[in-house]
Amino acid sequence: MNRREFLQVLAVAAAGGMTLHSDFARAAQGAEKLYDLPPFGNVSLLHMTDCHAQLLPIYFREPNVNLGVGSMLGKAPHLVGELLLKHFGIAPGSIEAHAFSYLDFSAAARTYGKVGGFAHLATLVKRMKASRPGALLLDGGDTWQGSGTALWTNAQDMVDACKLLGVDVMTLHWESTYGAERVKEVEENDFAGHIDIVAQNVKTTDFEDPVFKPYVIRNINGVPVAIVGQAFPYTPIANPRWQTPDWSFGIRDDEMQQAVDAARAEGAQVVVVLSHNGMDVDLKMASRVTGIDAIFGGHTHDGMPAPTVVQNPGGKTLVTNAGSNGKFLGVMDFDVRDGKVVDFRYKLVPVFANLLPADAEMSAFIDKVRAPFLEKLAEPLALSEGLLYRRGNFNGSWDQLIVDALIAEMDAEIAFSPGFRWGTTILPGDTITMEHLLDQTAITYPWTTLTEMSGEMIKTVLEDVADNLFNPDPYYQQGGDMVRVGGLQYSFDPNAAMGKRVDNMTLKGRRIEPGKTYKVAGWAPVSEEARDSGPAVWDVVAGYLRSQKVVRQITPNMPQLVGMEGNPGMV
């Protein structure tokens, strides 16, 4: 952003009625530095991931609980708050501190405004590409899911938006929940000649044939650059198997090594992996697979201001993760000489909607695609007195609202909600609209369930999810965060052995009995037998919100954590 553009931003903000008080004025002055990234080297790659179909600017609060256990204790990404800022050298109270941490979130969000939005992201992408000839835009997946418009258009809004944004290469996760046929339709028609889908770890279940290209090689300023794809390895476990019945997934790091070696043999001087593994899995893969210059990671929504440098038998690999919701754009510049990377510069750039003018072409597209749905999206459901967020290893206040609604509306004793990380944030005093609710719930298998479950089965469910999250071997971490629980209290020891992390389960002060049955509500069933098992979760929660009218301050139902004193991933 040059000085002229900077002054235009201030003028636009003032014309729009924004009070340029001292905090925002300081932030705006810092915008020159924030978006002034001098080009470096001769190969540039831009990276976005996990935007979850958010076309408009939103609020998104970073976690205050991101626990690391075993070898992951005290290491990125398992740092929060002041410790995260100190680790990455970010000044407390700065605009970057707001972008990367949960600290003083509500007040800082009021000061600095919303983040993301494809029109503002498009402005930044165009500027980076203009200053970095030949730069590619990589999309790490979880792009087509997460909003009402994406669900209602069968992802077409996001498919078209990504083409307009200038995405060059992408990989997958939630995209697969639209079904294998829909994904291949987009690849072979909409994306043909525009965007390559890469995923070396997706094979057919019969003959293990590749479903997608394992990698592509693009020439950037005379340098052959390979982008190897790594889709989410546990898609058929975390999401319904019936949506991709003929595809197998998995980490497949042996095949990853083969793909990297093949790309090098084909002449690639730079090899990067576009991954949806999650950062802990990427860190382990980087230690085992040689020949990768950098991994551009996603899935765990970790906004990491700097790469982690991983040593392996072949040298070093940079591991990055670019947050979520269109909130950040990663900018990686490589200096490639004599056929290899000799130096790099990396910046994870926050996308502040108040500091980046909206791209006119993208704005017009967004207005057009949203127009048929505006009335439904804008329906007011209730007023929120407190901050509603979803992000962290355990319950967030949005998650608590959902389980409270399930218990009330379905006459249940206990409620479970999946440990999803996506979902926008509502500031205190704001109105919850249907669009906000769909930001938390818009999936292709939204049905609610009411099940009689024994106390023993309840513990088994909690233990199974706990191991997916806290297994000391990242390769066995198979999904999102801990299942969100309503009605039930329990203690939790992340360091305990499998099957022994959950204890002291109680309901209304009474201990859960293994042989007794309880009425448990839930949603997002992955089994095909549960299709259409009950009304869509957004209908259930919307009914609850309409009856409440005002949502009082919510305190999330957190387990009593054992052995976590002093863990830098928790406040």
Side-chain angles (χ1 to χ4, degrees), residues 200 215 252-263 289:
Q200 71 83 23
Y215 62 86
R252 302 181 187 262
D253 57 7
D254 288 341
E255 287 93 334
M256 175 61 78
Q257 185 68 71
Q258 293 171 17
V260 171
D261 293 345
V289 179

Side-chain angles (χ1 to χ4, degrees), residues 188-201:
E188 295 168 5
N189 296 295
D190 300 80
F191 281 0
H194 300 279
I195 301 173
D196 287 307
I197 298 178
V198 291
Q200 71 83 23
N201 60 327

Side-chain angles (χ1 to χ4, degrees), residues 109 211 237 264 390 451 470 493 506:
V211 175
I237 297 173
R264 292 284 184 188
R390 172 197 279 168
T451 309
F470 291 109
D493 184 353
T506 62

Side-chain angles (χ1 to χ4, degrees), residues 374-401:
L374 285 179
E375 184 176 355
K376 188 172 182 179
L377 292 170
E379 180 194 353
L381 300 175
L383 180 73
S384 178
E385 287 191 346
L387 182 71
L388 295 179
Y389 63 91
R390 172 197 279 168
R391 183 68 175 92
N393 293 151
F394 301 96
N395 277 19
S397 49
W398 248 121
D399 300 296
Q400 189 64 48
L401 174 58

Side-chain angles (χ1 to χ4, degrees), residues 452-468:
E452 295 278 345
M453 296 179 65
S454 68
E456 182 180 15
M457 179 55 70
I458 291 170
K459 186 176 190 299
T460 298
V461 168
L462 293 176
E463 291 282 9
D464 183 58
V465 179
D467 196 63
N468 287 343

Side-chain angles (χ1 to χ4, degrees), residues 118-376:
F118 263 49
H120 306 276
L121 180 61
T123 295
L124 184 58
V125 168
K126 286 181 177 180
R127 288 180 180 175
M128 292 299 106
K129 285 193 170 185
S131 64
R132 291 161 167 80
L136 300 179
L137 176 58
L138 312 181
D139 176 2
D142 279 7
T143 305
W144 304 356
Q145 177 277 330
S147 71
T149 58
L151 183 68
W152 297 331
T153 64
N154 203 24
Q156 194 64 47
D157 65 334
M158 298 309 303
V159 168
D160 293 339
C162 286
K163 288 172 61 179
L164 188 58
L165 186 65
V167 171
D168 294 287
V169 186
M170 76 172 296
T171 196
L172 308 168
H173 173 204
W174 274 92
E175 287 75 12
S176 297
T177 65
Y178 287 95
E181 183 178 345
R182 175 60 174 152
V183 175
K184 294 301 287 185
E185 176 187 49
V186 170
E187 180 192 34
E188 295 168 5
N189 296 295
D190 300 80
F191 281 0
H194 300 279
I195 301 173
D196 287 307
I197 298 178
V198 291
Q200 71 83 23
N201 60 327
V202 183
K203 316 282 186 179
T204 60
T205 55
D206 49 9
F207 300 111
E208 290 284 292
D209 293 326
V211 175
F212 305 99
K213 301 170 187 175
Y215 62 86
V216 293
I217 295 181
R218 298 288 188 91
N219 190 292
I220 303 178
N221 300 318
V223 179
V225 178
I227 301 99
V228 186
Q230 177 79 358
F232 179 55
Y234 295 109
T235 297
I237 297 173
N239 308 104
R241 152 58 69 190
W242 52 265
Q243 293 173 330
T244 53
D246 300 322
W247 296 356
S248 66
F249 293 75
I251 294 173
R252 302 181 187 262
D253 57 7
D254 288 341
E255 287 93 334
M256 175 61 78
Q257 185 68 71
Q258 293 171 17
V260 171
D261 293 345
R264 292 284 184 188
E266 200 173 327
Q269 297 177 14
V270 178
V271 176
V272 302
V273 172
L274 181 58
S275 167
H276 207 89
N277 277 335
M279 190 162 177
D280 287 334
V281 179
D282 284 337
L283 291 168
K284 180 174 179 178
M285 177 174 280
S287 73
R288 293 165 59 91
V289 179
T290 62
I292 301 171
D293 292 299
I295 298 178
F296 294 93
H299 180 61
T300 39
H301 293 197
D302 300 307
M304 293 291 100
T308 298
V309 181
V310 179
Q311 299 277 354
N312 57 56
K316 298 177 181 178
T317 298
L318 307 172
V319 177
T320 72
N321 200 290
S324 66
N325 288 275
K327 186 177 178 180
F328 300 103
L329 180 70
V331 181
M332 177 71 80
D333 296 323
F334 289 119
D335 185 9
V336 183
R337 302 181 192 176
D338 300 323
K340 64 179 182 180
V341 175
V342 297
D343 202 357
F344 76 95
R345 299 287 186 274
Y346 179 77
K347 181 77 171 180
L348 187 58
V349 185
V351 180
F352 282 98
N354 284 342
L355 299 179
L356 285 166
D359 178 77
E361 186 180 16
M362 184 66 79
S363 291
F365 165 77
I366 293 170
D367 289 345
K368 180 180 178 181
V369 79
R370 287 173 53 84
F373 311 109
L374 285 179
E375 184 176 355
K376 188 172 182 179

